Amino acid sequence: MTSSSSARRPAARLPAGARSRAPQVLTVLDTLYPDARTELEFRTPFELLVATVLSAQATDVSVNAATPALFARYPDAHAMSAASAEDIEPLIRRIGLYRGKARNLAALARLLVERHGGEVPDDFAAVVALPGAGRKTANVVLSNAYGYPAIAVDTHVGRLARRLGLSTQTNPDKVETDLQKLFPRGRWVFLHHALILHGRRVCHARKPQCGACGLASFCPKVGVEGAEQGR
């Protein structure tokens, strides 16, 4: 029988050179995206929570196109808690996976009313417990609505972390842990917004624009077009 101590796996190490690259990455991102912030449009924590749930496997553009009508009909959790999934579906039909998201939004609004008086809690575990929310959603909401330091790892952040040699992990939670080790806590929110923007505009999944990339001089994957095939 294997003892508990021998069964433990050692923590994965950061890639070689990650600690020296991290400050370079931050310096360039500061220059390229000084005003980096979420591209989701919102006015309240509730609107941000709803928009973030809708953004899973969908573009921010599609979410921003749908939310004005959605929020006009359901401006807060109390209003949305009275709606059924079938009521919500027509308003978000152009967003991917809209049926499941409509069910989640209806349930999410009811739980906000029942558990939190209709307000979005500024508590990580409480947000994660809501239907359709997860670790990434909680990080987005807490950082953008309440100013908490957090790194939300989406496909762009994960891809760039691996390409830039900041992490070898494919699990978003483990990528988040690696990035937290490398960057100052006060820069976490900026970092994830800037990486998302760079992933959308330059470091694309299949055809990264290495020739136009300000990070190319120290990127281990520079010139490897289509490397990781969208990872």
Side-chain angles (χ1 to χ4, degrees), residues 32-56:
L32 295 175
Y33 311 105
D35 302 316
R37 59 181 182 83
T38 181
E39 293 188 313
L40 291 172
E41 297 173 357
F42 70 97
R43 295 167 298 182
T44 66
F46 174 73
E47 289 187 358
L48 177 60
L49 173 61
V50 169
T52 306
V53 169
L54 290 175
S55 71

Side-chain angles (χ1 to χ4, degrees), residues 49 77-78 108-131 146:
L49 173 61
H78 289 281
L108 174 154
R110 287 193 291 272
L111 285 182
L112 286 178
V113 172
E114 293 170 8
R115 297 178 181 176
H116 308 289
E119 300 298 320
V120 177
D122 59 348
D123 177 81
F124 184 88
V127 176
V128 169
L130 296 170
Y146 297 120

Side-chain angles (χ1 to χ4, degrees), residues 8-219:
R8 291 195 197 101
R9 294 182 179 180
R13 294 183 179 180
L14 292 168
R19 293 193 184 278
S20 61
R21 271 191 299 276
Q24 294 176 290
V25 169
L26 197 56
T27 296
V28 174
L29 292 178
D30 267 323
T31 301
L32 295 175
Y33 311 105
D35 302 316
R37 59 181 182 83
T38 181
E39 293 188 313
L40 291 172
E41 297 173 357
F42 70 97
R43 295 167 298 182
T44 66
F46 174 73
E47 289 187 358
L48 177 60
L49 173 61
V50 169
T52 306
V53 169
L54 290 175
S55 71
Q57 299 184 53
T59 66
D60 288 358
V61 172
S62 68
V63 173
N64 291 337
T67 50
L70 179 66
F71 296 145
R73 180 78 60 85
Y74 307 113
D76 54 36
H78 289 281
M80 190 173 286
S81 68
S84 66
E86 290 73 23
D87 294 328
I88 296 171
E89 281 184 15
L91 298 169
I92 62 171
R93 192 176 298 276
R94 294 187 179 183
I95 297 175
L97 307 176
Y98 73 93
R99 287 194 176 91
K101 291 176 181 179
R103 289 194 296 271
N104 284 333
L105 291 183
L108 174 154
R110 287 193 291 272
L111 285 182
L112 286 178
V113 172
E114 293 170 8
R115 297 178 181 176
H116 308 289
E119 300 298 320
V120 177
D122 59 348
D123 177 81
F124 184 88
V127 176
V128 169
L130 296 170
R135 187 175 186 87
K136 190 196 84 170
T137 297
N139 280 336
V140 169
V141 172
L142 293 180
S143 62
N144 289 282
Y146 297 120
Y148 288 7
I151 300 175
V153 178
D154 69 351
T155 56
H156 299 292
V157 174
R159 181 175 72 252
L160 268 68
R162 290 184 289 274
R163 284 186 177 169
L164 290 168
L166 302 173
S167 178
T168 59
Q169 304 294 332
T170 55
N171 181 291
D173 295 355
K174 293 180 180 180
V175 173
E176 179 185 343
T177 297
D178 284 350
L179 294 178
Q180 288 176 340
K181 293 176 184 176
L182 291 170
F183 294 92
R185 185 179 179 88
R187 305 308 312 281
W188 288 355
V189 177
F190 166 81
L191 176 72
H192 86 245
H193 288 318
L195 287 175
I196 288 169
L197 290 177
H198 198 66
R200 288 174 177 169
R201 299 176 184 179
V202 180
C203 193
H204 306 136
R206 298 188 182 277
K207 291 187 177 181
Q209 306 300 306
C210 298
C213 181
L215 303 170
S217 63
F218 50 83
C219 175

